[in-house]
Amino acid sequence: MTHHIIFEGAELSGKSWIMSQIYDFLESKYHESDSLLDGCYWFNCDVGVFGTDKGKAVIKNYVSIFKTLQEKNIIVEKFHLADKIYSRLYRQKRVGYRLLEKRLQELNFKIVLVVFPEDENIIRQRLEDRIKLYPHYRRIAKEPSFYIAQQKLYLKKIKRSKLPYLIIEADELPSEKYREDILDWLGEE
């Protein structure tokens, strides 16, 4: 069984942790090589490009890569929804991805939207943890209300997506409890 999954969600939602749990399962189960991690390919697509005028072009190129790897498991950390939301928040631009979603459908992509409880104390703690791990994040850090507003946009946009999706509320991190929900949804285990 081959899986193509996009993990989306506001910053600080817990995407990376949850992805690591799914990656570990898929890579372990589907690897073919004893020398390479070839059971699942993880693409961290949000490298400062989403929300810029280059986002759409970069995303189109990633889709070409995904087509090349379509026989393999692929997980993607942030993608077209992130670009739509970041473009709107940071450039006040609307970016459309209808044709791209058709291509993603053809490649059998699904979306896992990771959300957090809208509790400013939880967000503050996650922000503090993020800055400890990645001090450079301090430069772009925002108030908790910003992340809540960002999440509300994700919840609005996911309902318009043509791709199948699952919403995971990550109220506790780290936790392995989300792994089972996602794997069940994928038809694994």
Side-chain angles (χ1 to χ4, degrees):
M1 185 181 302
T2 302
H3 302 290
H4 301 148
I5 313 159
I6 299 167
F7 285 80
E8 291 275 14
E11 295 167 65
L12 309 176
S13 64
K15 288 177 302 302
S16 298
W17 168 257
I18 293 170
M19 283 183 73
S20 72
Q21 303 301 299
I22 302 307
Y23 173 82
D24 184 57
F25 175 87
L26 294 175
E27 205 297 312
S28 297
K29 182 174 181 179
Y30 293 102
H31 75 276
E32 296 173 1
S33 170
D34 291 332
S35 303
L36 302 170
L37 295 172
D38 66 347
C40 183
Y41 298 117
W42 179 332
F43 290 86
N44 183 358
C45 294
D46 182 22
V47 290
V49 176
F50 295 161
T52 72
D53 63 342
K54 306 290 186 231
K56 198 163 193 170
V58 168
I59 284 172
K60 285 180 182 177
N61 286 316
Y62 272 120
V63 173
S64 294
I65 294 168
F66 302 156
K67 180 137 179 69
T68 301
L69 298 173
Q70 67 185 330
E71 304 294 323
K72 302 298 261 177
N73 290 300
I74 300 169
I75 62 174
V76 181
E77 189 165 4
K78 295 190 183 178
F79 205 52
H80 65 298
L81 294 183
D83 190 48
K84 286 175 83 154
I85 289 164
Y86 290 8
S87 291
R88 183 143 179 214
L89 289 173
Y90 302 127
R91 296 189 305 139
Q92 294 70 52
K93 300 271 186 198
R94 291 185 184 268
V95 182
Y97 282 108
R98 285 182 201 230
L99 293 176
L100 179 110
E101 276 213 345
K102 281 187 177 185
R103 290 190 66 199
L104 292 171
Q105 275 182 306
E106 292 166 5
L107 294 170
N108 297 313
F109 269 90
K110 297 177 179 179
I111 299 174
V112 173
L113 177 64
V114 181
V115 299
F116 47 66
E118 293 183 3
D119 179 327
E120 291 196 2
N121 291 324
I122 290 173
I123 297 167
R124 273 191 199 89
Q125 183 60 55
R126 289 185 184 185
L127 181 57
E128 187 178 306
D129 293 344
R130 167 78 54 93
I131 291 170
K132 282 180 190 170
L133 277 174
Y134 308 105
H136 58 274
Y137 191 82
R138 181 180 310 280
R139 189 177 67 76
I140 62 169
K142 308 279 189 273
E143 290 298 316
S145 60
F146 175 85
Y147 301 108
I148 291 170
Q150 189 182 61
Q151 177 166 284
K152 287 180 182 191
L153 281 174
Y154 271 102
L155 288 165
K156 184 177 174 183
K157 297 292 184 191
I158 195 71
K159 292 175 185 166
R160 295 182 184 156
S161 177
K162 302 294 183 208
L163 302 177
Y165 66 87
L166 174 68
I167 298 174
I168 295 290
E169 185 166 332
D171 55 347
E172 182 184 326
L173 292 172
S175 174
E176 294 183 22
K177 66 184 180 180
Y178 315 112
R179 173 185 154 130
E180 296 310 314
D181 292 338
I182 295 168
L183 292 176
D184 286 346
W185 180 65
L186 294 173
E188 286 287 351
E189 285 192 303

